[in-house]
Amino acid sequence: MFESKNTQRTPISDLGEFGLINHLTTATKIKHDKTALGIGDDAALIDMGDHFQAISTDMLVEGVHFDLSYMPLKHLGYKSVVVNLSDIYAMNGVAEHITVSIAVSNRFPVEALEDIYEGIHLACERYNVDLVGGDTTSSRSGLVLSITAVGRVEKEKAAKRAGAGDNDLIVVSGDLGGAYMGLQILEREKQVYLDNPEMQPELGGHEYILERQLKPEARKDIVELFQALKVVPTSMIDISDGLSSELLHLADASKMQVNVYENKIPIDPSIYTICEEFNLNTTTVALNGGEDYELLFTIPIVDHDKIKANPNLTVIGYVKEGTGANLITRDEKVIALKAQGFNHME
Ligand code: ADP
Ligand code: MG
């Protein structure tokens, strides 16, 4: 067998997901002038002359990102496309193309793969993107789906993680915490079923949060809204790992401090009831639950009038000189936020 000349055995958990990416990519050299933005944002940006091309890729692994005991295959196909498109919208771009790579074991019949592709095609229709290629291979165990999304970004409208300015407002689309609570319901009902296969899962009444988990949507509409309102976010990221983690990314990349008010974080009323049932704090869930795929962005204060009446958008805080991310609690305490998002590497 080939031996690595590197004999140290550092556990991956020592670095965490983001530490690992940094560690492995510091030696990356950019050779093309056209590479306008490389590793470190939601998508890379390639200079095409009159516009940027945005490229992003994401992998979904069975047992890590999804559990087929409650994830219908059609939904899995749909979700795997949507989570990738979300990264293109997070650059303020329009997604246009995807490739789909799939590793599958022989425990899946052709019909199962047809179901996945039904979901993929549905997402392509809904988001107006073309499936233009991919790869198919076998896997010894689970199912793996890797999707690359390509989009178009107007140069003067590109929204990176860096760019938030002093006094900018921090805005979030939609509401947070739903996808995580949907997952809690699914996990609970799975356990009930495993303990007693005669029991039928009780999923009634939780439609909203289950849909947030099983059939999320990406905020193409918000990018269109920016266009209509003539708003260009100074920075933007999509919320895949949880609000805390994404706020810290914006703060780090922008070299600014972000401050958000606990009582401004948008949470759907149904989430309060379900959090009570699970004995979870709604703020913690909104901050650290992942997979909401909402957009988090900053705008100059002068643009406030343009967005303030929109029910899809909530101003949750402000940017100022400094570092890190703070939560201003309901009783006006200031708490430094730490990223506790979904860390699949732990
Ligand atoms: P997102 O949550 O928006 O999908 P990630 O946190 O997965 O972004 O990735 C952060 C950045 O690191 C992105 O620019 C991504 O392309 C890059 N990245 C992640 N993994 C690797 C890798 N193995 N090699 C090179 N770049 C990577
Ligand atoms: Mg992202």
Side-chain angles (χ1 to χ4, degrees):
M1 278 302 288
F2 297 107
E3 294 248 337
S4 168
K5 64 180 186 309
N6 199 335
T7 53
Q8 276 182 322
R9 293 188 54 85
T10 311
I12 288 174
S13 55
D14 278 10
L15 298 176
E17 182 181 347
F18 302 126
L20 180 67
I21 297 172
N22 278 340
H23 182 75
L24 296 176
T25 58
T26 39
T28 306
K29 288 198 188 73
I30 299 296
K31 292 170 288 299
H32 297 280
D33 292 344
K34 287 199 296 189
T35 308
L37 183 66
I39 293 164
D41 217 298
D42 294 293
L45 294 177
I46 314 301
D47 192 334
M48 306 301 282
D50 63 338
H51 69 279
F52 289 132
Q53 186 173 60
I55 308 175
S56 181
T57 194
D58 254 310
M59 187 151 51
L60 296 179
V61 177
E62 183 180 355
V64 179
H65 300 97
F66 60 88
D67 182 334
L68 289 177
S69 56
Y70 49 70
M71 183 74 173
L73 290 163
K74 184 176 167 184
H75 287 58
L76 175 65
Y78 190 88
K79 180 171 175 176
S80 62
V81 175
V82 163
V83 304
N84 275 272
L85 302 184
S86 178
D87 279 321
I88 303 294
Y89 302 133
M91 307 306 292
N92 203 17
V94 178
E96 294 180 333
H97 301 99
I98 59 164
T99 62
V100 174
S101 298
I102 184 163
V104 63
S105 71
N106 56 14
R107 84 181 149 97
F108 292 95
V110 173
E111 287 72 16
L113 301 181
E114 286 172 359
D115 286 350
I116 294 176
Y117 269 77
E118 211 183 310
I120 290 174
H121 288 137
L122 187 64
C124 287
E125 282 306 308
R126 162 80 176 72
Y127 289 92
N128 196 30
V129 300
D130 291 341
L131 170 60
V132 293
D135 195 19
T136 307
T137 181
S138 56
S139 148
R140 288 286 170 84
S141 51
L143 176 68
V144 179
L145 268 164
S146 173
I147 296 193
T148 298
V150 179
R152 184 190 175 92
V153 183
E154 301 308 320
K155 278 188 165 172
E156 64 286 2
K157 292 184 180 151
K160 304 174 188 172
R161 294 180 180 181
D166 196 14
N167 286 324
D168 280 0
L169 299 175
I170 303 170
V171 189
V172 67
S173 67
D175 52 65
L176 302 177
Y180 181 78
M181 291 318 294
L183 183 63
Q184 300 315 301
I185 295 280
L186 290 164
E187 291 282 350
R188 179 177 75 184
E189 295 308 314
K190 179 187 175 182
Q191 206 47 55
V192 170
Y193 174 80
L194 289 177
D195 293 346
N196 182 359
E198 307 285 293
M199 293 280 282
Q200 285 301 307
E202 280 188 36
L203 300 174
H206 301 302
E207 287 74 13
Y208 179 66
I209 57 175
L210 289 173
E211 194 161 311
R212 296 287 286 168
Q213 170 59 224
L214 296 176
K215 193 173 174 288
E217 301 293 351
R219 299 312 302 252
K220 178 174 186 268
D221 60 325
I222 302 295
V223 171
E224 290 161 357
L225 185 72
F226 291 145
Q227 185 86 9
L229 297 177
K230 297 195 166 48
V231 170
V232 178
T234 49
S235 69
M236 183 149 67
I237 187 168
D238 71 326
I239 304 185
S240 49
D241 295 337
L243 181 62
S244 274
S245 169
E246 318 304 1
L247 283 168
L248 284 163
H249 283 313
L250 285 192
D252 277 357
S254 299
K255 298 189 168 54
M256 284 282 163
Q257 182 182 82
V258 298
N259 296 274
V260 297
Y261 295 96
E262 181 180 18
N263 63 358
K264 303 274 191 211
I265 298 173
I267 295 172
D268 187 78
S270 65
I271 292 170
Y272 286 94
T273 342
I274 194 73
C275 277
E276 219 162 277
E277 218 176 286
F278 279 84
N279 206 9
L280 288 169
N281 177 289
T282 46
T283 305
T284 314
V285 166
L287 286 171
N288 300 322
E291 299 194 290
D292 287 314
Y293 299 104
E294 295 296 342
L295 292 174
L296 173 71
F297 58 94
T298 54
I299 55 166
I301 227 161
V302 291
D303 282 341
H304 186 217
D305 282 349
K306 296 186 193 167
I307 64 126
K308 70 179 181 198
N310 195 299
N312 286 305
L313 300 177
T314 312
V315 177
I316 58 169
Y318 62 93
V319 179
K320 69 174 196 181
E321 301 275 357
T323 55
N326 293 321
L327 180 74
I328 303 156
T329 64
R330 289 197 176 84
D331 48 4
E332 292 179 14
K333 288 202 184 74
V334 178
I335 298 176
L337 291 176
K338 287 199 264 317
Q340 297 177 337
F342 265 76
N343 196 335
H344 294 300
M345 310 290 300
E346 279 172 1

